[in-house]
Amino acid sequence: AQSVTQPDIHITVSEGASLELRCNYSYGATPYLFWYVQSPGQGLQLLLKYFSGDTLVQGIKGFEAEFKRSQSSFNLRKPSVHWSDAAEYFCAVGVMDSNYQLIWGAGTKLIIKP
Amino acid sequence: IAGITQAPTSQILAAGRRMTLRCTQDMRHNAMYWYRQDLGLGLRLIHYSNTAGTTGKGEVPDGYSVSRANTDDFPLTLASAVPSQTSVYFCASSDSTSGSEQFFGPGTRLTVL
């Protein structure tokens, strides 16, 4: 069955430090991969997506993600986090079953230390 | 352009009452979705609609119903609310082609007492 795992429920980093959020997926075919961000009390906003081609994808707000097929991973990175990056981050994989849908990870809450 | 609107923003409801959560999109997307978000569980799909006039069940459909009379609107109804339906509900829409991203509304926070 298709699934998405985000192993870290919470991550705490200092402002200005680098960030990596992990995402692993299980899907038999070539995946469509997404990262979304949810600020407190808000809906979800797309950060970036991977369909094909270059495995390093650039997104909004200075985020990037790398697709590694051999590891079934799509980790999100940012070189230097800002206090405004404190939010919850969700990884999702687009799958085609009886219909096209997104399978979601449980999310990782990012806490920024001043 | 508003994107996706949801109403109400929040609601406190007595158990056993009927409640309809409203969702409207202005992007002419074919597909629409209802999710519930609970702490530690991420997003779980309740119902979806690939096009006006059709609906389908998601991962957690019990106790919920939907309709899709036109492209823009996708209401979610709780026929007889129970406390376990306390959650934050998000409506989303997308182009129905493979690989499409979903666009989300701001959510409805529902508390069932």
Side-chain angles (χ1 to χ4, degrees), chain A residues 36 38 46 49 51 96 100, chain B residues 35 37 98-102:
Chain A
Y36 282 79
Q38 183 182 31
L46 181 71
K49 58 187 177 185
F51 286 179
M96 178 61 74
Y100 173 73
Chain B
Y35 293 94
Q37 184 179 34
S98 254
S100 298
E101 67 194 77
Q102 292 180 5

Side-chain angles (χ1 to χ4, degrees), chain A residues 12-111:
Chain A
T12 301
V13 300
S14 299
E15 190 169 15
S18 64
L19 170 71
E20 183 169 30
L21 302 182
R22 295 182 291 164
C23 173
N24 293 94
Y25 67 89
S26 173
Y27 183 51
T30 301
Y32 302 107
L33 296 162
F34 305 84
W35 274 100
Y36 282 79
V37 61
Q38 183 182 31
S39 298
Q42 303 295 313
L44 279 76
Q45 180 185 19
L46 181 71
L47 281 176
L48 47 78
K49 58 187 177 185
Y50 170 79
F51 286 179
S52 64
D54 193 344
T55 56
L56 186 63
V57 181
Q58 301 298 319
I60 63 171
K61 306 185 180 187
F63 285 91
E64 66 178 27
E66 187 172 11
F67 169 54
K68 292 186 177 179
R69 184 185 300 276
S70 61
Q71 298 177 20
S72 298
S73 69
F74 189 54
N75 293 350
L76 182 71
R77 301 194 294 248
K78 188 169 184 177
S80 175
V81 298
H82 186 260
W83 64 266
S84 60
D85 293 324
E88 189 152 22
Y89 292 80
F90 292 92
C91 181
V93 59
V95 303
M96 178 61 74
D97 194 349
S98 54
N99 66 293
Y100 173 73
Q101 62 178 292
L102 297 188
I103 305 297
W104 295 87
T108 297
K109 186 172 183 178
L110 176 61
I111 300 164

